[in-house]
Structures are given as C-alpha cells and as structure tokens.
Amino acid sequence: MTREKTASKVPPGANPDAENAELRERLGADPLVWTDAMLAALKSGVKGGKWFSLKDKVYRRRTLLRAWHIVNGRGGSGGVDRLSLKQYESQLDQRLASLEGKLKTGRYEPKPVKRVFIPKPGGKEKRPLGIPTVEDRIVQTALQLVIGPIFEIGFNAHSYGFRPKRGCKDALREVGGLLRKGHEWIVDADLKSYFDTIDHGKLMSLVRAKVADGLVLDLLESYLKQGLINELKEWEPTEKGTPQGAVISPLLANLYLNELDHLLRDRGHEMIRYADDFVILSRTREEAEDALELTRQWTDGRGLVLHPEKTRLVTHREGFEFLGYRFENGNRYVRQKSLTKLRGTLRPKTKRTKGKSMKAIIEDINPVLIGWFGYYKHAHKNTFVWMDGWVRMRLRSILRKRHGRKGRGRGLDHHRYPNKYFAEMGLFSLERAHREACQSR
C-alpha cells in the first residue's frame, strides 16, 4: 500500500537519482555533506524559509576531512601561525579531531589574516594578498560546503563569478550574444573597492534570512571581523568588507550583489556579472540610462560606490572592457592591461642573460603561452601575430647576445634565426593555434 502511494507521486519516466545528480552539480552540493533528504528540503523549501541545525554538518569529521582535501589541493602558504599544509598533514587525524572538538564546544576562534604585498605582473605596483591560516581555510571551506547550496539556489542565472559550473567564458559568451542581437548601449560599471566596502550588518541580515544556526552565524561574523597582520608586524581590525583571500568571501560577495542582479533582471535589463565586475547591455540609450540610475540608487542604499571616473555609458563602437577583453565595433580584442601582464610574466623567463639552453627556455615559456591562449583564443587574430613576433624577438635577442652582438633581435637576425627555427625547437605559436581553432569551428 505504501509503495503504491509513493510510486504514484513519481511522474512516469522520471529518474529521481538523475535529477538529484543534476541539482547537486548545478548547486555544488557535495554528496559527503548534502544528503538526499537535505537536497529534497532544499528543493521543496524548509519551514519558515530558514535552515536550523547546520552546525553538526560543519564540524562533523567527514566534512572537515573533505574540506582539508580541497584546501590541500589548492595549495598555498601558511598564515600567521606559520603552519604549512605539509606540517598540518603530518598530524592530520589529531588536528582534525581537535578542530572538531573546538567547533563543537564553541572554543574555536579564527586567527588574524596575514597580509602580504605581491608585485603586479608587468609593473612596479604591488597588491595586497590575505593569507588565512590552514585551519581557518579548512573551517571556511567546511562552511562553504554546508551553506553554499542554500544561497546558490537563489542566485541569478546571469551571475558567473565563483559559482559551480560557471566561469568567465560563459559570461563573455553571453555578452557576445547580446551584442550580436543589437544591444548597442553598454553601462560599463565599476564598483570602487567593492570587497572593502561591504556593510557587515547588511550582509549578515541577508545571511540570517536563510540561516538561523547560531554557530554558523557566529563563525561568519568572526571571519568578517578578522583582523589583519601586515607582514607579521602590525594588527588592524576590520570593520567593513569581506576578507580578500578568504575561502568564504566570494560566496558572501555574490550574496551581497544578488539583490541587484534580480532587480535589474526584473526591470528587463541585461546585466552580466562576474564577482564585482559587471556590464549592462541595452538596445537604446534611454534603457541604458535607466539601468545606470537603478544601479546607482541601489548601490547608494547599500553603502557601495560606483567609481565616478570608471563608470560610464558607451556604445559598442566606442568599446568597453570586460574580463580581460576589449569589445569594440563587433570585434573582441585582448585589453592592453592583459597584454602587459603577459609580457611581464614572460620577461624574466626570456632575459638575454638567461643561462638555459634555447630548448629549455622554450619549454619554460610554452605553458604560459598555451594557458594564455586557452583564455584569449577568441580575440582578433592580429593580437596573436603581434605577440608571436614579440616572443621571437625576445628569443632572438638571447641568441644575439650569445654571439657577442648588442641590441634586440631584429633585422638580419630574422634570416639567421627564422620563424621556422623556433617552430622546429617546439615554440608554441599563438597565430597557428588560433588559425587551427578557427578551422575546427
């Protein structure tokens, strides 16, 4: 009798296991953390719209172990406690048991984030990088595994940053599609210091709308208030923003902007967002102006600031930049900053004083070129022709110096060391790869 009633509720031809697998993949719901019963509750909705009793999912051993494997797979250095991944792994069972106990009894407290400054490729500027301790990264990853799907299910389809099965290429593809459909006006927006200006109170109210577990809320608030230690010398409290470098930050940052995603979509605007980088594509100037005004009103009410100089209305003919590309008059180019970054990465590998053999140098730079092409392969072909020439010039300059000649590899060096010479040495050609990619479409 019971079996007949249950069976009658399942639509003919439906495959619950396949549906659950698809939902897990879309939401990033790890099967070691999210049971079928939890997944069913996520689909149907929980009572009152809030999730209680999540803490045991966070601190149970299999969640922490799963989180450890994710953290270890990502690599990275130790935080303020100077404990490396290798050192943590050497006593993994004992450390995870201790961590489980501290979380269970409320004795766990995150340590300050180590802030270091690393050089930006292609220049003398430096950017700050926050490095939490290994243990803090494990707990944040465990939190992400537990609460991520709760918020993910409500995120807008046109937000692509740091989400399961989504990425830059999906966002770029959608932008290209809208341009081809006649969306000629673009709101090229820039949020000034977004990650540093998120209001903690407003952010936590968004979290509390879905999560009511005290331990989870306390952990999230403790990470938001985590201090910074500059080069292990100076401690600074944090009153605003999400800690950059923290595992949990992308989820919280997406949550903060999710309301704007839905607001613009509900008003008929085509907004494409990747983390805090977004563009709004419109068919007319009036539509674009309305979208910009809506965005400005919303950000003003959330304590965010649209950069006065970098936020603008443009046409597709004037061009705009998004996720490393420059879209202009129907073409897609690599933006200058991205080219500068690539050259900055290759320069130390192709110094004229490099002591390696030419073959070894080429083996060193090929992975960089291949990886770069994998992302920028949809750019205009002229970019690849020019970049190939620049790389070969650097290599000819090395050979020129080795033969006692000064200056860059130009002029007669093209005859001494023709393109064919470098091709036979195995140098990856961006132009050839682009041509082959176009032929295979």
Side-chain angles (χ1 to χ4, degrees):
M1 186 70 172
T2 305
R3 282 196 299 271
E4 288 175 2
K5 285 185 178 180
T6 304
S8 66
K9 294 179 182 179
V10 180
N15 185 343
D17 290 339
E19 288 179 8
N20 278 352
E22 187 277 330
L23 186 62
R24 283 186 188 283
E25 187 174 28
R26 180 165 64 86
L27 302 180
D30 195 301
L32 289 177
V33 179
W34 277 80
T35 63
D36 287 341
M38 290 173 68
L39 209 61
L42 189 63
K43 285 192 288 186
S44 61
V46 292
K47 188 176 180 181
K50 292 188 178 184
W51 286 76
F52 295 82
S53 303
L54 292 172
K55 59 186 177 184
D56 58 308
K57 280 80 174 175
V58 174
Y59 62 63
R60 65 184 171 192
R61 187 70 61 86
R62 70 181 185 187
T63 303
L64 295 176
L65 185 59
R66 175 71 178 124
W68 153 256
H69 286 302
I70 293 172
V71 169
N72 192 39
R74 289 173 179 157
S77 59
V80 294
D81 60 0
R82 303 178 188 271
L83 194 66
S84 69
L85 288 164
K86 190 173 182 179
Q87 289 171 322
Y88 199 93
E89 187 176 27
S90 67
Q91 294 181 302
L92 184 62
D93 290 340
Q94 301 95 304
R95 293 187 190 280
L96 290 184
S98 172
L99 179 57
E100 180 184 11
K102 285 188 288 185
L103 287 166
K104 197 171 184 179
T105 57
R107 293 181 292 111
Y108 168 81
E109 289 184 9
K111 292 181 171 60
V113 173
K114 181 173 75 173
R115 183 160 65 180
V116 297
F117 293 86
I118 60 173
K120 289 185 176 181
K124 295 182 179 179
E125 282 186 82
K126 291 188 175 183
R127 65 179 179 89
L129 177 67
I131 307 175
T133 64
V134 172
E135 192 151 276
D136 286 341
R137 300 204 299 264
I138 292 171
V139 177
Q140 288 183 38
T141 302
L143 271 173
Q144 169 86 31
L145 289 169
V146 173
I147 69 172
I150 295 172
F151 297 108
E152 177 64 33
I153 199 167
F155 284 165
N156 192 281
H158 302 280
S159 161
Y160 293 93
F162 307 104
R163 295 182 60 192
K165 299 299 177 181
R166 291 167 171 267
C168 291
K169 292 181 180 179
D170 302 303
L172 291 165
R173 193 178 298 116
E174 185 169 1
V175 169
L178 289 169
L179 289 171
R180 287 191 294 273
K181 290 177 182 177
H183 290 70
E184 298 186 353
W185 283 88
I186 296 93
V187 177
D188 187 5
D190 184 272
L191 287 171
K192 189 176 181 181
S193 304
Y194 171 60
F195 284 88
D196 297 328
T197 54
I198 293 175
D199 185 281
H200 288 177
K202 290 182 173 70
L203 175 58
M204 286 307 300
S205 70
L206 294 172
V207 175
R208 289 191 184 94
K210 294 287 184 182
V211 174
D213 186 290
L215 174 70
V216 170
L217 295 172
D218 288 345
L219 282 173
L220 289 173
E221 283 196 290
S222 69
Y223 286 123
L224 291 175
K225 295 176 181 177
Q226 231 173 337
L228 296 168
I229 289 186
N230 288 317
E231 307 289 358
L232 299 180
K233 294 176 183 177
E234 180 184 355
W235 183 85
E236 298 176 9
T238 52
E239 300 297 333
K240 279 188 174 183
T242 60
Q244 292 195 52
V247 176
I248 203 72
S249 285
L251 173 65
L252 298 178
N254 273 333
L255 177 60
Y256 204 70
L257 286 175
N258 186 48
E259 185 183 8
L260 177 61
D261 295 341
H262 287 284
L263 172 65
L264 289 166
R265 282 285 163 175
D266 291 346
R267 297 288 185 91
H269 295 298
E270 299 284 0
M271 175 185 181
I272 315 299
R273 183 172 67 82
Y274 188 95
D276 62 326
D277 196 358
F278 64 91
V279 290
I280 307 168
L281 291 92
S282 306
R283 293 185 182 275
T284 66
R285 182 185 181 96
E286 290 72 26
E287 288 178 4
E289 288 174 342
D290 180 61
L292 178 56
E293 182 57 28
L294 268 176
T295 303
R296 199 182 304 280
Q297 290 175 8
W298 187 89
T299 52
D300 287 347
R302 300 302 181 280
L304 303 176
V305 179
L306 285 173
H307 199 293
E309 296 173 4
K310 296 181 181 179
T311 299
R312 59 200 184 112
L313 286 183
V314 296
T315 66
H316 75 102
R317 292 182 181 85
E318 294 172 282
F320 63 97
E321 294 180 353
F322 186 57
L323 299 181
Y325 278 95
R326 178 168 181 79
F327 293 84
E328 186 176 331
N329 203 23
N331 292 311
R332 196 194 291 190
Y333 303 94
V334 179
R335 69 172 183 167
Q336 189 57 47
K337 196 172 181 180
S338 301
L339 287 170
T340 301
K341 183 177 179 180
L342 174 61
R343 293 199 300 272
T345 302
L346 291 173
R347 276 195 178 96
K349 297 176 180 290
T350 56
K351 286 183 177 179
R352 295 180 210 179
T353 55
K354 205 74 176 174
K356 296 180 179 179
S357 69
M358 181 54 61
K359 192 169 184 64
I361 292 172
I362 287 173
E363 288 175 351
D364 190 29
I365 66 174
N366 270 351
V368 176
L369 294 171
I370 292 168
W372 189 84
F373 177 77
Y375 185 78
Y376 288 106
K377 62 184 176 183
H378 298 294
H380 194 279
K381 65 179 181 180
N382 289 353
T383 300
F384 307 115
V385 174
W386 183 88
M387 197 66 219
D388 273 346
W390 184 86
V391 171
R392 288 193 294 264
M393 179 275 293
R394 298 283 298 181
L395 298 179
R396 288 186 179 108
S397 298
I398 295 172
L399 294 170
R400 183 179 177 87
K401 181 171 179 61
R402 288 178 181 178
H403 288 86
R405 294 188 294 273
K406 296 181 180 180
R408 295 184 176 185
R410 293 174 176 171
L412 290 176
D413 289 320
H414 286 263
H415 298 287
R416 295 188 185 101
Y417 319 109
N419 295 354
K420 184 180 177 182
Y421 168 81
F422 296 107
E424 291 173 349
M425 294 285 284
L427 178 64
F428 179 78
S429 168
L430 297 167
E431 180 189 6
R432 184 173 65 247
H434 180 257
R435 186 170 60 248
E436 290 172 354
C438 289
Q439 290 171 351
S440 64
R441 288 175 191 168

